[in-house]
């Protein structure tokens, strides 16, 4: 059983398109995150949800909109894709609160052409 | 804002040697420091962590040390093996619960 699963694993799309990435966790965790890993491998937080509520929203363009229908799911919708959006997007979850590491999903490699 | 500096960015060692990766954090409120290993094309995976009330923690060949006064923490890998080759990330967590990651160290263990 995969603890944190993301779909799709690969996504190739043209500039200007709208796309979504889905994430689900079966760990019973309260908090979920989206991280972006660029070509230099830098991991930067984008959003965090705790029990369906947005708690962290870093400086991310409005074209990115997260949605959490329940605490086990956190989806990411991206409008009007740009070349610079090409990256690997990781979903992660944690029990919430301090002193807990994250469990990452397998990542979605987004390529905008 | 919170910042984590990680050094070196690349590290090459011979099999059997030790490897040390160092991180410095800026937020005095940080109290949790995990380390992640990311193999090529894979997800980051937690390998060891340390909390602010502890100075050192070991797990077989890996150990982490923390100096809260200097805001430094380090990862030590002894008797390195080729399968230790990966990118290693340090991270710190303060009151906001988010993990702030260092920029990673690419470790290569040469047979």
């Amino acid at each position: 059983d995969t603890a944190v699963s993301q779909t799709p694993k690969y996504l190739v799309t043209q500039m200007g398109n709208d796309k979504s990435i889905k994430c689900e966790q079966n760990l019973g965790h309260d908090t979920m995150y989206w991280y972006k890993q660029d070509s230099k491998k830098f991991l930067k937080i984008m959003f965090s949800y705790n029990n369906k509520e947005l708690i962290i929203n870093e400086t991310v363009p409005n074209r990115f909109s997260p949605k959490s229908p329940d605490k086990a799911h956190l989806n990411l919708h991206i409008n009007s894709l740009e070349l610079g959006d090409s990256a690997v997007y990781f979903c992660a979850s944690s029990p919430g609160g301090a002193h807990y590491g994250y469990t990452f999903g397998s990542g979605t490699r987004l390529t905008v052409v | 804002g919170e910042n984590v500096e990680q050094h070196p960015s690349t590290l090459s060692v011979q099999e059997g040697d030790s490897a040390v990766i160092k991180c410095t954090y800026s937020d005095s409120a940080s109290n949790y420091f995990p380390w992640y290993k990311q193999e090529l094309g894979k997800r980051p995976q937690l390998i060891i962590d340390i909390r602010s009330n502890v100075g050192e923690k070991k797990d077989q060949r890996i150990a982490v040390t923390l100096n809260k006064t200097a805001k430094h923490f380090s990862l030590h890998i002894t008797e390195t093996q080729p399968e230790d080759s990966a990118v290693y990330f340090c991270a710190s967590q303060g009151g906001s619960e988010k993990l702030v990651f260092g920029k990673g160290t690419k470790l290569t263990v040469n047979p």
Side-chain angles (χ1 to χ4, degrees):
Chain A
D1 254 358
T2 303
V4 182
S5 59
Q6 287 179 237
T7 54
K9 192 167 174 61
Y10 300 98
L11 190 51
V12 181
T13 188
Q14 291 189 322
M15 275 195 311
N17 283 351
D18 303 338
K19 290 293 178 186
S20 292
I21 306 171
K22 295 186 176 183
C23 180
E24 176 182 2
Q25 56 98 1
N26 62 7
L27 297 167
H29 288 169
D30 286 334
T31 307
M32 296 183 73
Y33 310 84
W34 279 110
Y35 273 78
K36 179 180 179 180
Q37 186 170 47
D38 61 24
S39 58
K40 294 185 178 179
K41 301 295 186 185
F42 185 46
L43 279 162
K44 185 167 170 57
I45 191 167
M46 301 172 69
F47 301 104
S48 171
Y49 270 73
N50 181 274
N51 207 4
K52 302 193 296 177
E53 286 193 30
L54 180 67
I55 56 171
I56 294 174
N57 184 348
E58 294 290 297
T59 310
V60 177
N62 291 338
R63 299 181 295 103
F64 291 78
S65 54
K67 281 189 172 49
S68 181
D70 55 61
K71 77 171 193 176
H73 296 83
L74 179 61
N75 304 323
L76 183 65
H77 188 75
I78 316 170
N79 289 327
S80 304
L81 278 155
E82 300 177 358
L83 292 176
D85 297 332
S86 296
V88 180
Y89 291 84
F90 284 100
C91 176
S93 72
S94 79
H99 301 183
Y100 290 104
Y102 297 172
T103 301
F104 282 89
S106 55
T108 296
R109 181 175 294 277
L110 172 65
T111 304
V112 183
V113 298
Chain B
E2 298 163 67
N3 187 44
V4 176
E5 297 287 336
Q6 182 171 347
H7 299 280
S9 56
T10 60
L11 180 58
S12 183
V13 299
Q14 289 299 121
E15 184 176 358
D17 287 351
S18 295
V20 181
I21 302 169
K22 298 184 179 182
C23 289
T24 304
Y25 60 97
S26 61
D27 184 1
S28 300
S30 295
N31 50 25
Y32 174 66
F33 308 92
W35 286 86
Y36 287 81
K37 175 184 180 183
Q38 187 178 27
E39 296 175 354
L40 189 62
K42 301 280 182 68
R43 73 191 77 194
Q45 291 198 294
L46 179 68
I47 55 172
I48 195 167
D49 56 15
I50 191 167
R51 291 164 175 78
S52 58
N53 58 346
V54 176
E56 184 176 358
K57 183 176 177 180
K58 283 185 180 179
D59 183 3
Q60 299 183 333
R61 295 186 298 108
I62 59 173
V64 58
T65 58
L66 171 64
N67 182 331
K68 281 218 77 178
T69 303
K71 297 184 192 170
H72 289 169
F73 58 114
S74 301
L75 178 72
H76 305 252
I77 306 174
T78 58
E79 300 171 30
T80 53
Q81 300 166 2
E83 51 266 38
D84 294 331
S85 296
V87 178
Y88 290 80
F89 293 94
C90 63
S92 73
Q93 182 186 63
S96 68
E97 296 185 21
K98 71 178 180 183
L99 284 180
V100 178
F101 286 85
K103 292 192 174 181
T105 296
K106 182 177 181 182
L107 173 65
T108 304
V109 180
N110 302 299

